[in-house]
Amino acid sequence: MTQDGLKQYALSSAASHKTPLYGTAIGTSDLTLQPRSRAILRHCNLVTSEYEMKWDAVFRHSHEPDYAAPDDLVAFARDNGLAFHGHTLWWHESIPASHRESSDKVFAEAAMQHLRVITARYAGQLHSWDVVNEVLEPAHGRDDGLRGTRFLNAMGPDYIGIAFQEAAALDPNATLVLNEMGLEYAHPEAERKRRAMIALLERELSRGTPIACLGIQSHLTAMEQPRHHPDLRAFLREIDGMGLSVMITELDVSDHLCPRDRAERDRVVADTYRAYLDLVLEESTVLAVTTWGLSDDRTWLNAFRPRPDGSPQRPLPLDRALRRKPAWHAIKAALLKAAAHRNSTISD
Ligand code: G3I
């Protein structure tokens, strides 16, 4: 089949019918491997930086920032007509070693300097930014459910509003996203986190914090994620009622609970993708669906959640040889169903 033939079935073509953008997390190593960069261009119309745009990555080698890698990623997207989702300005797990022990005053100044410089550097070039990442942890015991981090200790709970106001001033064109993990699950802790997120968003929006979109990371587990999830539906309706859009920012489906049989695993993973995407796309204005990697060889899950039987995880749309799996077809079907629904509501 010719390149164009593949193009017409690409996920991105599904996403071009007024549905969300579809994309993947990438690194500069993906750009040097021809088959992989070709697969990204064939299937995606958005990319995000998995690691190299983070504060610790930019300051990885010295006290001076090195933007060569994020520059290459943004240039790749620009040169190929892809949208770029910036990830992430402030995250408690991406603080440079040089600032982990600094005083609150020095830390706050350095964090603000990093935010200002990198936001200004890419202003006008990005579709969106994960401005702050993983701000909630109800288990830390605060009434507001905020996670105890260096950002909170150094700047107080206003750090979230400060980050969004600064990013909006420096890049008014980017959609500003509050990105969070663990909102998708069915267990009681997830419901506590969803309630805390609603309260946080109500507080911040009432203060004029320019949050436009909620990022839902969506690291799912096959055989654990429920098909019918009324609490998540209710949560998404509240988010929609606040006038906020949603981005599915780090989607993957761990198969560590699945049997070893490859066909069975792929089926259960695809079914999890389909049920979850159908639910979120029905209840939200989804700007983009991003999988945390495009092919199974690029998943972080082999390190984070290895299978008990030692076989490699199969959590992503393409296999290690960049061939489409049932998960790819599940994502495409969900995007096309959303397109059909959106077109029918537009024409009504
Ligand atoms: O590139 C260097 C390499 O030169 C060096 O030899 C090697 C060993 O030190 O490290 C490599 O960098 C690693 C980088 O991934 C690229 O592989 C970093 O150490 C490692 O910390 C980094 O991990 C990333 C992690 O975030 C921390 O930034 C993962 O790739 C990435 O998948 C993960 O993504 C996070 C999201 O940002 C937030 N949500 C959770 C998600 C999973 O943890």
Side-chain angles (χ1 to χ4, degrees):
M1 192 178 278
T2 65
Q3 173 71 19
D4 291 344
L6 284 173
K7 188 80 179 167
Q8 72 188 6
Y9 297 108
L11 276 172
S12 53
S13 65
S16 62
H17 305 147
K18 298 188 181 58
T19 57
L21 298 171
Y22 167 76
T24 183
I26 61 172
T28 48
S29 62
D30 296 313
L31 310 188
T32 56
L33 301 169
Q34 188 70 343
R36 180 176 306 288
S37 59
R38 252 204 335 265
I40 292 165
L41 296 179
R42 187 176 302 143
H43 295 286
C44 303
N45 44 28
L46 173 136
V47 287
T48 191
S49 167
E50 181 172 17
Y51 169 63
E52 291 158 306
M53 208 171 216
K54 291 168 180 170
W55 189 11
D56 61 331
V58 163
F59 282 86
R60 183 177 186 85
H61 298 302
S62 83
H63 290 288
E64 288 306 312
D66 177 355
Y67 298 105
D71 284 355
D72 288 347
L73 296 175
V74 172
F76 171 78
R78 182 192 59 237
D79 297 347
N80 291 285
L82 305 181
F84 197 100
H85 176 63
H87 176 77
T88 177
L89 291 172
W90 285 355
W91 181 34
H92 62 281
E93 291 197 25
S94 61
I95 295 168
S98 55
H99 283 295
R100 286 174 197 154
E101 305 307 325
S102 50
S103 70
D104 284 348
K105 181 175 181 301
V106 168
F107 175 85
E109 287 167 356
M112 185 58 78
Q113 175 70 0
H114 166 65
L115 184 150
R116 284 182 178 132
V117 170
I118 199 168
T119 306
R121 186 179 187 88
Y122 300 114
Q125 304 177 65
L126 304 191
H127 167 274
S128 44
W129 263 114
D130 284 338
V131 176
V132 286
N133 188 41
E134 300 176 12
V135 300
L136 291 176
E137 183 39 90
H140 285 182
R142 287 177 55 99
D143 291 343
D144 56 16
L146 289 182
R147 180 188 297 272
T149 68
R150 282 305 317 268
F151 297 96
L152 178 68
N153 298 341
M155 294 178 254
D158 289 353
Y159 86 90
I160 296 167
I162 289 165
F164 275 87
Q165 293 290 3
E166 202 66 28
L170 289 162
D171 191 354
N173 299 314
T175 295
L176 300 184
V177 182
L178 177 66
N179 196 43
E180 187 58 75
M181 60 178 277
L183 296 169
E184 317 82 5
Y185 308 136
H187 46 62
E189 295 77 34
E191 185 56 21
R192 276 181 69 195
K193 191 172 244 191
R194 287 189 286 269
R195 293 298 103 209
M197 178 57 80
I198 294 294
L200 172 65
L201 288 168
E202 283 170 345
R203 259 194 328 276
E204 291 297 335
L205 294 174
S206 67
R207 300 169 58 216
T209 300
I211 301 170
C213 179
L214 175 64
I216 303 178
Q217 288 187 12
S218 309
H219 292 294
L220 308 180
T221 298
M223 300 175 72
E224 195 171 80
Q225 188 69 14
R227 292 189 63 78
H228 304 292
H229 197 337
D231 286 347
L232 180 57
R233 275 188 189 278
F235 171 74
L236 292 172
R237 284 180 188 157
E238 289 182 76
I239 295 296
D240 194 58
M242 292 177 177
L244 293 174
S245 55
V246 160
M247 284 178 76
I248 297 175
T249 50
E250 307 181 17
L251 180 60
D252 49 24
V253 178
S254 175
D255 69 8
H256 69 280
L257 299 178
C258 295
R260 181 167 190 136
D261 176 72
R262 181 176 298 191
E264 176 62 9
R265 283 160 61 178
D266 287 357
R267 186 190 64 74
V268 176
V269 165
D271 190 53
T272 305
Y273 271 108
R274 183 66 197 271
Y276 179 75
L277 286 173
D278 279 351
L279 188 160
V280 180
L281 288 161
E282 283 164 10
E283 300 298 348
S284 305
T285 300
V286 178
L287 302 183
V289 174
T290 297
T291 50
W292 208 239
L294 188 57
S295 55
D296 290 338
D297 56 304
R298 282 285 280 106
T299 184
W300 68 295
L301 287 171
N302 282 322
F304 179 73
R305 189 151 291 149
R307 283 179 51 88
D309 61 18
S311 61
Q313 282 256 14
R314 295 173 61 84
L316 292 169
L318 306 183
D319 69 12
R320 309 171 78 82
L322 303 178
R323 291 172 304 213
R324 297 170 195 174
K325 293 162 54 192
W328 186 94
H329 294 281
I331 294 170
K332 181 190 163 192
L335 288 172
L336 286 175
K337 180 181 174 186
H341 173 73
R342 196 169 291 188
N343 289 338
S344 65
T345 47
I346 288 171
S347 55
D348 283 354

